[in-house]
């Protein structure tokens, strides 16, 4: 394992936290140990919710969070989307917050910043997301 930090790596503690969302966390960790490149489907709502954005917009959003704000929690990239792992309940609250911030406004006379915001997918209680595997260099041992 190189000493350089790689944003795509997940620490063993991070892998355990992700796996804790599933029904059988030890089985998920064992799968990742055997097949470090295997994605898994994990339920949302108990350990985390997920906000999913198209990659380009998601990367710009993350840049803003880190440049102008508090940063972000865990993040993954999978199949052209950025997955932001958030506190349980976020998926339920986010649409109202975005509406309040007028991110969802689509007035034909207004071509402001809202036109540049793609729809975000919010995954919470009752939903599941496919989570990419930790990188091979950090697979749990």
């Amino acid at each position: 394992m190189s000493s350089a930090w790689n944003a795509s790596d997940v620490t063993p503690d991070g892998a355990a936290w992700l796996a804790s969302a599933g029904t059988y966390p030890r089985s998920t960790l064992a799968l990742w140990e055997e097949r470090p490149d295997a994605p898994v489907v994990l339920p949302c709502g108990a350990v985390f919710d997920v906000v999913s954005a198209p990659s380009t917009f998601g990367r710009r959003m993350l840049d803003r969070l880190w440049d102008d704000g508090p940063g972000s929690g865990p993040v993954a990239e999978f199949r052209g989307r950025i997955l932001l792992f958030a506190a349980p309940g976020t998926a339920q609250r986010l649409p109202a917050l975005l509406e309040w911030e007028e991110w969802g406004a689509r007035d034909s006379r207004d071509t402001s910043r809202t036109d540049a915001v793609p729809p975000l997918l919010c995954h919470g209680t009752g939903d599941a997301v496919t989570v990419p595997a930790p990188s091979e260099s950090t697979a749990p041992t």
Side-chain angles (χ1 to χ4, degrees):
M1 183 163 133
S2 72
S3 61
W5 180 77
N6 183 335
S8 66
D9 289 344
V10 174
T11 65
D13 287 343
W17 175 77
L18 283 170
S20 74
T23 304
Y24 303 104
R26 287 189 289 189
S27 295
T28 300
L29 292 172
L31 171 66
W32 279 337
E33 189 172 324
E34 183 179 316
R35 294 189 47 224
D37 59 343
V40 296
V41 176
L42 295 173
C44 298
V47 174
F48 53 75
D49 281 2
V50 172
V51 177
S52 174
S55 283
T56 302
F57 179 75
R59 287 181 186 275
R60 282 192 268 152
M61 192 167 57
L62 287 171
D63 287 344
R64 289 286 303 268
L65 285 169
W66 283 100
D67 290 345
D68 300 338
S72 71
V75 175
E77 183 175 18
F78 191 66
R79 295 187 175 164
R81 301 207 52 99
I82 298 291
L83 309 175
L84 290 94
F85 293 83
T90 299
Q92 182 178 1
R93 293 186 308 268
L94 188 60
L97 175 63
L98 292 176
E99 184 177 322
W100 180 73
E101 289 286 342
E102 297 178 353
W103 280 35
R106 297 286 184 204
D107 187 338
S108 61
R109 296 167 292 160
D110 181 14
T111 57
S112 66
R113 67 183 171 98
T114 60
D115 289 339
V117 179
L120 302 176
L121 303 176
C122 301
H123 305 284
T125 302
D127 296 328
V129 293
T130 301
V131 177
S135 74
E136 191 169 344
S137 64
T138 59
T141 57

